[in-house]
Amino acid sequence: MERGSRPHVGAQVMVGVLLLAVDLVYIAGSWFGYGLAGWTDDGSISPEAQRFAWRAMWYLAGGAVITGGGLLALRWRVPGLMQLIVLGIGALEFHSLAARH
């Protein structure tokens, strides 16, 4: 790519869709892991679930900053913003789960 040239919008959209699929699979797997960590016989939320939620929140927030920021630095605005938004919302979801206790 020449200096100052912009990537094609079609390529940005395709990369954004692929990264969205990966993000959603990771978030769904994290929800499944949170459910397994929080499983108790008496219906209460276990302390392991809170630790799992904090860890998932930091992974998602770090992924948002690294991948979204990196793509924005490369001028790939569509997938960069998509990464920041999707992973940021996932991080906020797990933050709310971890802060319940």
Side-chain angles (χ1 to χ4, degrees):
M1 210 183 298
E2 294 178 16
R3 187 176 184 152
S5 65
R6 295 179 53 169
H8 295 286
V9 175
Q12 290 187 43
V13 170
M14 182 60 86
V15 169
V17 168
L18 290 173
L19 288 173
L20 177 66
V22 171
D23 294 343
L24 294 178
V25 167
Y26 181 74
I27 291 171
S30 295
W31 273 98
F32 183 73
Y34 175 78
L36 288 178
W39 186 270
T40 60
D41 290 334
D42 61 356
S44 64
I45 298 174
S46 69
E48 290 85 19
Q50 184 181 17
R51 285 191 293 273
F52 186 90
W54 277 113
R55 194 169 49 244
M57 179 206 58
W58 282 112
Y59 287 160
L60 289 167
V65 170
I66 291 170
T67 59
L71 288 168
L72 287 174
L74 293 173
R75 294 192 214 180
W76 285 60
R77 289 185 177 93
V78 173
L81 288 174
M82 186 176 275
Q83 287 292 101
L84 285 172
I85 292 169
V86 171
L87 292 176
I89 289 173
L92 288 174
E93 288 175 359
F94 280 100
H95 178 266
S96 68
L97 291 173
R100 283 189 183 175
H101 298 129

